[in-house]
Amino acid sequence: MRGSCPPRHTRDRAVCMTNCPTLIVTVGLPARGKTYISKKLTRYLNWIGVPTKEFNVGQYRRECVKIYKSFEFFSPDNEEGLKIRRHCAMAALNDVRQYLSVEGGQVAVFDATNTTRERRETIVKFAEQNGFKVFFVESVCEDPDVIAQNIVQVKLGSPDYIHCNTEEAIEDFMKRIKCYESSYQPLDENLDRDLSFIKIMDVGRRYLVNRVDHMQSRIVYYLMNIHITPRSIYLCRHGESDLNIKGRIGGDSGLSARGKEFARSLRKYIQDQKIKDLKVWTSQMKRTIQTAECLGVPYEQWKSLNEIDAGVCEEMMYEEIQEHYPLEFALRDQDKYRYRYPKGESYEDLVQRLEPVIMELERQENILVICHQAVMRCLLAYFLDKTADELPYLKCPLHTVLKLTPLAYGCKVESIYLGVDAVNTHRDRPECSVCTSLLKQAWQTSLIHSFSSYRTENIKKSRYVEESPIKSPPASDL
């Protein structure tokens, strides 16, 4: 039934944030950052739990036409080229239908130029026939420096130009843009007033937003926060803590002697990098604050960056959790991302808590985030486009800095170990057979405990009945 999320197995369920599936459609000339926007948006929506997939029509065209010859393929006078491009667009839309109607997707991103009103009307009709909402994202840019930078950074690495030298590739691509300019019809606030869209002008200097619903407003807010300024994001955990040494999770202990040594090493590393206008963020927990204090620079505390709340298991060792809460221990190993500690949080909860942090990270330039293992995993999963299944097992060792440098279509990661020993707090993913066995044992133990409690309670009740027989009412009451 259209308008509701399809049923899912518990382990595969997703957060349903849309009344009906949404089709995001990019609009704009080549080299305007449409694919950059598509990829970032897809990554963000998947990270917050909205199943999203990108459909790049250029990829369909490359699969259809194995060898790219020149810009003439895109000429409005090239009937054969137009026929192939229409075929590729329809093939992509058919896959969109399959994804949103059959496979349980909630958002599809249709990444193409879509520069004519006729093409956009075709897409709107397609969406209406299938019960999808449509949201257009147009990128308009007239800055020649930005366009040139995009061509050099992205387009020259395209399979289309793998056998061309730089000058030939740039010349051909500029002519390709000219092919689209003659027929380009931008979104118009009067002519297209009934459509839902955001118009991004000159890489975020100005925006025009028209008719958005709740889901689309979240997309708009995200798009208004991203930028293309070169920068680096440094992620690290606090220095080793006293509870780390004892093998206990959570808590709010201070740094160990080695943790303090790491903080001093971190200060030297940051000073040696000579990072321009570096900002430092920490959680509100002692161990991150003590680490930041050693840097000798201003820092900002975020409650959202606090470690995952382990609830009743705070400050316990994993062996103790397995002993005292065998069922909880087994359930967590079975689905670590969605498992919620009793009176605590899950990784899924943590991702929702960290969404404002991601928004602000996208707005910032150079920044150092001193955080915790679970928090760092969530942040890393966003930048590296990791799935919910992979996220809880990402390795984030103590006393190691991860330098993330966002690129056009991804993120470069450098791992810098600062040479101070620390305990290993990482737990590898258990094998499925081990999980199943532990879960069975835990259920049996739980049932035995429940039966034992039930018998004890019943014995107490029967003793009470024997010791307190029902008395006959006084004769006057009969």
Side-chain angles (χ1 to χ4, degrees):
M1 177 182 171
R2 177 57 55 212
S4 61
C5 287
R8 298 172 183 271
H9 189 277
T10 306
R11 283 178 60 84
D12 299 325
R13 70 186 185 279
V15 181
C16 189
M17 295 184 179
T18 55
N19 292 326
C20 61
T22 296
L23 173 57
I24 297 172
V25 181
T26 62
V27 177
L29 294 169
R32 264 56 178 186
K34 297 182 301 300
T35 300
Y36 169 80
I37 289 169
S38 298
K39 288 184 178 296
K40 287 208 72 148
L41 199 47
T42 300
R43 177 158 54 89
Y44 162 70
L45 291 171
N46 277 317
W47 184 76
I48 63 171
V50 181
T52 305
K53 189 174 180 180
E54 176 201 8
F55 297 83
N56 182 285
V57 177
Q59 288 295 105
Y60 285 78
R61 188 257 304 165
R62 290 184 193 98
E63 288 172 13
C64 184
V65 181
K66 300 297 182 183
I67 300 174
Y68 171 77
K69 294 180 180 177
S70 77
F71 72 94
E72 291 176 355
F73 176 84
F74 297 94
S75 170
D77 301 325
N78 185 339
E79 289 295 330
E80 182 65 21
L82 283 170
K83 184 179 177 182
I84 292 171
R85 284 154 58 200
R86 282 196 204 100
H87 167 78
C88 293
M90 293 313 299
L93 285 176
N94 285 333
D95 287 348
V96 164
R97 183 194 291 117
Q98 173 74 14
Y99 177 67
L100 295 180
S101 299
V102 179
E103 297 174 16
Q106 290 178 23
V107 177
V109 183
F110 186 71
D111 179 18
T113 53
N114 302 309
T115 47
T116 65
R117 196 157 277 111
E118 180 188 1
R119 169 62 64 82
R120 297 195 291 269
E121 285 172 359
T122 299
I123 294 169
V124 169
K125 286 178 183 175
F126 163 83
E128 287 173 350
Q129 290 166 359
N130 290 280
F132 306 151
K133 290 182 181 179
V134 181
F135 183 60
F136 291 98
V137 177
E138 182 175 27
S139 179
V140 179
C141 184
E142 303 301 333
D143 187 331
D145 292 336
V146 173
I147 296 169
Q149 183 182 24
N150 193 15
I151 292 172
V152 171
Q153 286 187 350
V154 179
K155 303 304 178 184
L156 297 187
S158 162
D160 291 345
Y161 298 110
I162 199 165
H163 298 301
C164 295
N165 63 46
T166 302
E167 291 76 17
E168 288 173 344
I170 292 174
E171 183 183 359
D172 183 87
F173 197 83
M174 293 303 292
K175 288 178 180 177
R176 186 194 295 195
I177 294 173
K178 289 289 182 187
C179 291
Y180 283 94
E181 285 178 341
S182 59
S183 59
Y184 181 26
Q185 297 171 301
L187 287 165
D188 184 275
E189 57 184 309
N190 292 316
L191 293 174
D192 299 307
R193 61 183 176 274
D194 294 331
L195 298 178
S196 297
F197 66 82
I198 178 174
K199 198 179 182 88
I200 305 168
M201 288 159 273
D202 290 323
V203 203
R205 287 180 189 158
R206 287 191 302 132
Y207 303 90
L208 175 63
V209 179
N210 191 67
R211 294 175 65 94
V212 297
D213 64 16
H214 169 68
M215 186 67 206
Q216 293 160 0
S217 69
R218 294 189 72 171
I219 292 167
V220 165
Y221 182 59
Y222 176 75
L223 292 176
M224 291 176 74
N225 279 284
I226 63 176
H227 65 83
I228 59 169
T229 306
R231 44 80 177 259
S232 289
I233 297 161
Y234 299 83
L235 301 179
C236 75
R237 293 171 63 187
H238 52 81
E240 180 188 71
S241 72
D242 294 328
L243 285 177
N244 286 150
I245 293 174
K246 295 173 183 175
R248 299 188 177 278
I249 65 172
D252 193 20
S253 64
L255 298 181
S256 68
R258 292 189 301 195
K260 292 172 183 174
E261 185 184 348
F262 164 74
R264 292 189 290 270
S265 298
L266 181 62
R267 174 175 181 161
K268 184 178 184 306
Y269 170 76
I270 293 298
Q271 287 175 342
D272 290 347
Q273 295 300 298
K274 294 181 171 56
I275 306 162
K276 183 183 176 183
D277 300 325
L278 179 71
K279 290 187 178 179
V280 179
W281 292 353
T282 73
S283 72
Q284 291 185 347
M285 309 193 94
K286 287 179 189 175
R287 51 198 186 273
T288 63
I289 293 169
Q290 287 178 358
T291 304
E293 282 287 342
C294 265
L295 300 181
V297 298
Y299 59 89
E300 183 179 346
Q301 295 179 29
W302 283 66
K303 187 176 181 180
S304 299
L305 288 171
N306 284 1
E307 180 60 304
I308 190 169
D309 185 351
V312 298
C313 299
E314 281 283 316
E315 299 194 24
M316 293 179 71
M317 300 171 68
Y318 284 118
E319 294 80 5
E320 292 173 341
I321 298 172
Q322 188 171 14
E323 180 183 349
H324 296 291
Y325 304 105
L327 184 56
E328 297 296 331
F329 186 85
L331 287 170
R332 186 167 190 264
D333 275 351
Q334 190 182 47
D335 187 357
K336 194 174 178 181
Y337 180 76
R338 295 178 182 86
Y339 169 82
R340 179 181 289 123
Y341 283 105
K343 299 184 181 179
E345 291 180 299
S346 66
Y347 272 94
E348 191 171 36
D349 297 329
L350 188 54
V351 163
Q352 301 306 315
R353 165 149 67 88
L354 287 168
E355 187 179 0
V357 176
I358 286 296
M359 288 293 182
E360 193 57 30
L361 274 174
E362 286 291 2
R363 290 167 55 87
Q364 297 295 329
E365 294 185 14
N366 295 318
I367 191 158
L368 166 64
V369 183
I370 303 172
C371 52
H372 306 267
Q373 181 167 251
V375 171
M376 190 167 165
R377 282 170 172 161
C378 293
L379 298 178
L380 200 57
Y382 167 77
F383 286 105
L384 302 187
D385 198 17
K386 298 297 183 181
T387 65
D389 189 49
E390 296 171 302
L391 184 155
Y393 297 100
L394 294 176
K395 290 187 177 179
C396 299
L398 287 164
H399 302 176
T400 300
V401 177
L402 295 184
K403 179 182 177 182
L404 310 181
T405 305
L407 304 173
Y409 295 165
C411 193
K412 177 185 174 185
V413 185
E414 298 171 69
S415 179
I416 303 102
Y417 171 58
L418 296 191
V420 180
D421 288 342
V423 293
N424 179 14
T425 60
H426 182 82
R427 282 187 75 237
D428 288 326
R429 183 198 301 269
E431 294 179 10
C432 289
S433 57
V434 174
C435 279
T436 306
S437 175
L438 283 174
L439 191 57
K440 285 180 180 176
Q441 290 173 19
W443 272 113
Q444 288 168 358
T445 305
S446 180
L447 286 170
I448 290 167
H449 285 165
S450 298
F451 183 66
S452 239
S453 300
Y454 174 77
R455 281 196 65 207
T456 304
E457 194 61 35
N458 275 336
I459 288 168
K460 285 180 182 176
K461 284 180 182 177
S462 64
R463 282 177 181 166
Y464 176 77
V465 170
E466 287 172 7
E467 292 168 6
S468 309
I470 299 172
K471 296 180 181 178
S472 300
S476 58
D477 291 339
L478 293 173

